[in-house]
Amino acid sequence: MKKKQWYDYLWIWPILYFALGFFNILFAWLGMIDFLLPLFIAVMGGNKFFCNDLCGRGRLFAVIPKTFKFTRKKAAPAWLSSKWFRYGFLVFFAAMFCNVAYQTWLVFGGAASLKETVKLFWTFRVPWGWAYTAGTAPEWAAQFSFGFYSLMLTSALIGLILMMFYRPRTWCVFCPMGSMTQLICKARHRGEEPDR
Ligand code: SF4
């Protein structure tokens, strides 16, 4: 049996992340690690080490069905892995991230007030005021936290729903970070097919 590595336990990370953000939204900033580290590894190493070994979210989607003995193991619809959907979703996700940054900017400049809510599926605003105490951080920092946590939670929920209906890591098929690192690896290797 393959010896367990420290990163085999990284599935704990997303659970910890969402738990911390539940009690204090400022911990949402830690999610930037999941944004920047895969890009850094892809640019510097030209590989998908993050996706293959380090991604807590990918590991969590694999661990849950194994632990609770459920998954339909059904292949996801082919359009989910089509180029137009993967890159379309990447553009959409990037636009949503830019919107988070824009809302942060508005609060920073005093043009908007802090919204202490988490927006699920880019639609439903859930009050989350208990997770922020006024004055503990600049309001713009809190606004970014609420927005970024919304993105992270929404994408995790989509991944969990897909995990229940299809193969455990179906989210990885069109995950924006996976698509971005794949593009970077392709550019680095010019024509070689990186593993996904
Ligand atoms: S594709 Fe996304 S969720 Fe899957 S392992 Fe890579 S970064 Fe993690």
Side-chain angles (χ1 to χ4, degrees):
M1 205 171 111
K2 206 182 138 207
K3 200 177 156 228
K4 284 235 175 209
Q5 302 291 333
W6 62 271
Y7 44 72
D8 287 324
Y9 300 95
L10 281 175
W11 54 269
I12 295 167
W13 166 240
I15 297 173
L16 187 68
Y17 175 76
F18 289 119
L20 288 171
F22 182 83
F23 294 107
N24 188 330
I25 199 66
L26 296 172
F27 281 111
W29 279 86
L30 290 176
M32 287 304 291
I33 297 170
D34 287 328
F35 263 51
L36 299 178
L37 190 58
L39 298 178
F40 179 77
I41 290 174
V43 169
M44 300 308 287
N47 62 51
K48 305 261 299 177
F49 177 50
F50 184 85
C51 282
N52 295 337
D53 290 314
L54 298 184
C55 179
R57 177 176 293 203
R59 286 193 175 275
L60 184 66
F61 291 152
V63 159
I64 294 175
K66 224 187 208 169
T67 309
F68 296 100
K69 310 267 182 270
F70 79 90
T71 177
R72 293 181 67 198
K73 287 190 182 150
K74 200 176 148 206
W79 58 265
L80 272 184
S81 52
S82 64
K83 260 190 184 173
W84 69 265
F85 183 77
R86 278 192 292 128
Y87 295 135
F89 191 71
L90 173 60
V91 170
F92 171 75
F93 206 82
M96 292 300 106
F97 181 80
C98 289
N99 186 45
V100 169
Y102 178 61
Q103 297 305 323
T104 303
W105 173 252
L106 290 181
V107 171
F108 177 78
S113 53
L114 172 65
K115 291 181 195 69
E116 296 182 17
T117 57
V118 163
K119 208 172 181 185
L120 292 181
F121 302 105
W122 302 286
T123 310
F124 309 108
R125 280 199 182 276
V126 182
W128 213 269
W130 67 80
Y132 173 66
T133 307
T136 49
E139 291 205 337
W140 65 266
Q143 183 60 60
F144 182 83
S145 299
F146 281 111
F148 192 54
Y149 192 80
S150 303
L151 264 188
M152 294 292 273
L153 189 54
T154 294
S155 53
L157 289 173
I158 293 172
L160 285 171
I161 293 167
L162 290 169
M163 176 202 76
M164 287 193 286
F165 289 99
Y166 302 107
R167 289 188 180 132
R169 289 181 66 159
T170 296
W171 164 260
C172 294
V173 166
F174 61 98
C175 164
M177 293 316 298
S179 301
M180 252 194 287
T181 51
Q182 191 173 33
L183 283 174
I184 294 169
C185 291
K186 266 188 182 168
R188 285 270 326 239
H189 296 288
R190 289 208 189 97
E192 283 175 38
E193 272 297 316
D195 48 327
R196 183 170 177 112

